[in-house]
């Protein structure tokens, strides 16, 4: 018994000689490096969300290739969260507590970003930039250290409805949506906006992720004879819908969110008749093949030559460019507080990548408030602001 | 709308039927419920994809390739991974199939994780209208092929000598062994056949649903529900249950609520097991079932 | 017959050694928090939660020998009851955890009822369906459950002060020690022996006067209680409860932990939980390999260590043997 107690005491005292945490001028910053932590779904069913991460990383790598910022190069720490909120929480904790990053830029699935908000609140000095998640609940109410450079679901749904109503004689609006968090984060602001316009949907159906057939939903929509269908679906289910709409003869145009890329959809559906009336919310400034956009495409291809080039690939770049700008403006004496300050002073920031300027104020951290629509009428993409009537 | 819902439901159900048949055939002959059957389905579709797009073969060659590949694959799985465990408790066998399911999914995700790839339809053609019902040529092909397979299987089991031997071996492996039937080889063959059936279902449905690593999981649940509904272990039951499930999903989605479609399979399972555990056509057996 | 059992492994020679080792482990665990950073503490807390999960599932799967896929459902019920009672009813953390445990026990007893009628794969399917229906409920009863997005937990406070990572750790450690300890006591009582008797041969157990139905319900209820307790802790740990967490992947994770750790072994449950919670963290630098590694590990265990890592160790180290652990053919 004595032996037992003394051994236990030994273990306890040995372990109480604690490891010392190193103290530095600012976490994640040395004389020549800045640590930026990133996370996104590199694997898993939503792995397409890794493309914006690669785009943002391409920006950082390009900055390094041109000498860094104020003499410092960016060191990236990339974590996979597979769109699982629990993985995201541990990834974020690792980046903050173990990798000791200066700031974090990440999050494609809205659920994962919502899940780490408490962690961000516990670290209010750490700047955090959303990578690609769009739910308006992320940035409303505003959090001092959370910045949202993506068109939120509020903006997206408002643009979608305005666009749909810009088609002459449009009265009957129908909706098909996922019922998960992503879907609901679009549906709720959409319905509210419709109410302000005095409209109600003539039919509203749910289609689950992973469905292999949408027959009952399509038939209900067809029966409702809509003038336009607002689709809040991810690419596989949108494909199912478009093919089915063509098959069952639903003639209404389809307006959808920024969760899909037009090139990808046209390729997947493989039937031009089914996609010629598809309008996708478009967050970028021009089509990917436009000459003014080539510098971004080249940048992406230089660092990620094996990854597909589509709209999603560029969605994270705006946030990265804003971060680089804020760090630059903060000067050589770099602190987290200064970067947050500089982000809060960002007005009409437009590096030529996105469809509208980015503005952050201390009260509003949802930086993008407009967007356009893109469609593929014949053999290439075209951007439109209102419904193209001369067709 | 009712006619369309029913007809489309039958088309969907016929694919479930091929999957459920594959699982039931294996269950009947080896008493193993194969949780990785969904992955045979998925691998069949991927086999077509790879042979078409990477190797550049024609559709027909790809289909043959996929079937042969999966048949060999099922055989290999049995020989290398299942046979060593044949005396282990059933939970170990079940867990092995679950582990395999994870493994195959993981491997295909490794190669095709970031994309969802479209396959060309087996038959082209615009929609066909029969009264108020619209069908695609693909739908007719799917339903027709499934029907052929199901009928083929029944003919095989009921009318041919080999089929009867297989039935005997399923019912009493010991008795069959006593009579000189090579039971391990028979079981090996059944694994291959079951995998090939899974591949057929994948080939039929992949052009409509696109090819991605998780496509098997959804199908597995539908197959389970179909087997439960029709009577676990009954071959005609699996088919009947599958067709019923397909129609039920559409009817519930169309007339009750589209948010119920995703859990129709689970509701069916619970209702059947509470009200009539032997399903529509099965025999109620206590114990392992 | 367990021929490898050497002659002198009665309680007299095993007891002090086991106690010695348990105390050492406990002391090390108590001393942990200052030595690790916040992230590692988070991982340690997750391991504690899954220890409880493994013990809970083992109750039904390993000791009672029933193929029940309801573990994720109990886990979810615990998380939702704890979270919702804090958000809607303003309960404190301890009462919320208690409420979760009670609801888990009731749910367990409820799930035990069909287990009286069906067995084997039938039970597996019906419990799986139960889990998915619970998930559907969480999504669609969004007035109460906040729907598919889930909800954030309020700040966790104990005796008036807010809990940090370290505070949570000690709370979890206490709950896990109590939970595992109580389970051990249950297993060594006549109820626990009844579980194993029913698993090995129901008819024989019945003829010995064991109330088979009541035994099954007790096992299921206890399993539900422990697993729901783990769910409550999980909600507190993550600070967020959402439906997607408690689906089939969660269920499979539980299964893999118990299979690799060892069916019918408390030590195995702990080993499995620690191993399989730590593994994804170690695989962070190799995205996409997690599924493959997990499944290969499971296959290796199924081939070479059918009694799991726990069973393997206890065949090498006699002092680890648990009296109730037997190689069971089971009715599953």
């Amino acid at each position: 018994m004595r032996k037992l107690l003394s051994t236990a005491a030994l273990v306890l005292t040995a372990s109480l000689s604690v490891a010392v945490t190193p103290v530095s001028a600012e976490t994640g910053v040395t004389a020549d490096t800045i640590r930026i932590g990133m996370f996104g779904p590199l694997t898993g069913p939503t792995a397409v969300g890794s493309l914006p991460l690669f785009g943002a990383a391409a920006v950082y790598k390009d900055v390094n290739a041109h000498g860094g910022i104020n003499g410092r190069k960016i060191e990236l720490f990339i974590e996979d969260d597979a769109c699982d909120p629990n993985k995201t929480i541990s990834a974020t904790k690792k980046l903050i507590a173990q990798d000791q990053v200066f700031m974090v830029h990440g999050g494609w699935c809205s659920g994962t970003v919502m899940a780490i908000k408490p962690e961000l609140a516990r670290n209010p000095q750490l700047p955090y930039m959303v990578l690609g998640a769009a739910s308006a609940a992320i940035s409303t109410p505003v959090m001092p250290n959370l910045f949202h450079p993506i068109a939120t679901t509020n903006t997206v749904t408002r643009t979608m409805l305005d666009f749909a109503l810009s088609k002459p004689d449009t009265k009957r609006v129908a909706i098909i949506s996922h019922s998960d968090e992503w879907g609901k984060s679009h549906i709720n602001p959409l319905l509210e906006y419709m109410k302000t316009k005095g409209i109600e949907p003539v039919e509203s159906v749910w289609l689950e992720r992973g469905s292999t057939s949408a027959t009952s939903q399509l038939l209900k929509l067809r029966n409702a004879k809509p003038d336009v269908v607002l689709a809040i679906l991810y690419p596989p289910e949108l494909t199912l819908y478009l093919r089915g709409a063509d098959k069952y003869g639903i003639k209404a145009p389809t307006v959808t969110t920024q969760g899909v890329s037009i090139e990808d959809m046209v390729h997947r559906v493989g039937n031009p008749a089914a996609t010629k009336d598809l309008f996708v919310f478009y967050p970028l400034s021009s089509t990917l093949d436009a000459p003014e956009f080539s510098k971004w495409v080249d940048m992406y291809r230089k660092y990620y030559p094996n990854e597909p080039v589509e709209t999603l690939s560029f969605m994270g770049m705006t946030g990265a460019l804003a971060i680089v700008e804020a760090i630059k403006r903060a000067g050589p004496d770099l602190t987290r507080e200064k970067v947050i300050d500089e982000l809060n002073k960002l007005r009409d920031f437009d590096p030529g990548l996105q469809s509208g300027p980015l503005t952050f104020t201390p009260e509003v951290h949802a930086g993008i408030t407009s967007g356009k629509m893109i469609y593929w009428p014949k053999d290439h993409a075209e951007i439109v602001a209102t419904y193209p009537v001369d067709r | 709308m009712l006619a369309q819902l029913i007809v489309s439901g039958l088309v969907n159900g016929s694919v479930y039927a091929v999957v459920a048949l594959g699982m039931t055939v294996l269950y009947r002959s080896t008493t193993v419920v194969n949780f990785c059957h969904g992955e045979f389905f998925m691998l069949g579709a991927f086999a077509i994809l790879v042979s078409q797009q990477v190797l550049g073969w024609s559709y027909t060659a790809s289909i043959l390739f996929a079937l042969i590949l999966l048949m060999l694959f099922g055989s290999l799985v049995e020989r290398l991974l299942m046979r060593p465990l044949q005396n282990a408790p059933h939970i170990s066998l079940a867990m092995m199939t679950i582990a395999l399911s994870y493994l195959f999914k993981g491997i295909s995700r490794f190669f095709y994780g970031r994309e969802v790839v479209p396959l060309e339809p087996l038959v082209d053609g615009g929609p066909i209208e029969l009264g108020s019902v619209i069908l695609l040529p693909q739908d007719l092909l799917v339903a027709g092929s499934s029907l052929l397979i199901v009928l083929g299987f029944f003919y095989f089991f009921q009318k041919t000598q080999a089929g009867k031997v297989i039935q005997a071996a399923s019912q009493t492996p010991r008795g069959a062994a006593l009579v000189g039937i090579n039971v391990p080889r028979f079981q090996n063959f059944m694994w291959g056949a079951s995998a090939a059936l899974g591949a057929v279902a994948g080939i039929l449905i992949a052009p409509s649903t696109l090819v991605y690593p998780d496509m098997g999981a959804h199908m597995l649940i539908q197959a389970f529900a179909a087997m439960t509904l029709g009577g676990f272990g009954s071959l005609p039951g699996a088919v009947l249950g599958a067709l019923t499930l397909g129609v039920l999903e559409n009817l519930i989605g169309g007339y009750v609520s589209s948010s119920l479609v995703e859990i129709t399979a689970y509701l069916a399972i619970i209702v059947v097991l509470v009200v009539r555990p032997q399903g529509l056509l099965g025999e109620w057996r206590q114990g392992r079932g | 017959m367990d021929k490898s059992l050497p002659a002198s492994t009665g309680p007299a020679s095993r007891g002090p050694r086991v106690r010695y080792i348990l105390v050492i482990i406990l002391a090390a665990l108590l001393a942990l928090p200052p030595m690790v950073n916040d992230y590692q503490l988070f991982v340690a807390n997750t391991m504690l939660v899954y220890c409880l999960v493994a013990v809970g599932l083992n109750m039904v799967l390993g000791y009672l020998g029933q193929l029940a896929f309801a573990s994720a459902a109990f886990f979810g019920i615990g998380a939702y009851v704890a979270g919702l009672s804090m958000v809607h009813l303003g309960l404190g953390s301890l009462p919320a955890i208690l409420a979760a445990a009670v609801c888990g026990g009731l749910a367990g007893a409820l799930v035990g009822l069909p287990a009286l009628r069906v067995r084997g794969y039938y039970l597996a399917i019906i419990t799986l369906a139960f889990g998915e229906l619970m998930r559907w409920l969480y999504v669609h009863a969004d007035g109460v459950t906040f729907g598919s997005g889930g909800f954030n937990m309020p700040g966790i406070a104990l005796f008036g002060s807010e809990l940090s990572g370290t505070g949570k750790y000690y709370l979890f450690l206490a709950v896990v020690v109590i939970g595992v300890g109580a389970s051990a006591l249950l297993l060594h009582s006549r109820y626990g022996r009844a579980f194993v008797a029913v698993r090995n041969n129901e008819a024989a157990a019945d003829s010995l006067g064991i109330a088979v139905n009541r035994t099954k319900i007790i096992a299921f209820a206890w399993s539900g209680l422990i697993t729901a307790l783990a769910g409550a802790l999980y909600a507190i740990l993550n600070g967020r409860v959402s439906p997607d967490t408690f689906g089939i992947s969660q269920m499979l994770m539980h299964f893999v932990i118990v299979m690799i750790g060892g069916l019918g072994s408390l030590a195995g449950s702990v080993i499995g939980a620690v191993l399989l919670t730590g593994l994804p963290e170690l695989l962070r630098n190799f995205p996409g390999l997690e599924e493959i590694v997990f499944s290969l590990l499971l296959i290796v265990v199924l081939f070479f260590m059918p009694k799991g890592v726990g069973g393997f160790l206890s065949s090498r180290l006699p002092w680890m043997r648990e009296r109730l652990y037997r190689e069971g053919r089971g009715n599953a």
Side-chain angles (χ1 to χ4, degrees), chain B residues 214-230:
Chain B
D214 290 297
M215 64 192 289
H218 182 78
M219 202 46 76
L220 192 72
I221 303 292
Q222 313 296 105
F224 263 122
M227 287 167 78
T228 310
L229 196 54

Side-chain angles (χ1 to χ4, degrees), chain B residues 232-248:
Chain B
F232 215 87
S234 154
L235 291 166
V239 175
L240 189 63
L243 293 173
T244 314
L245 185 68
V247 172
L248 208 60

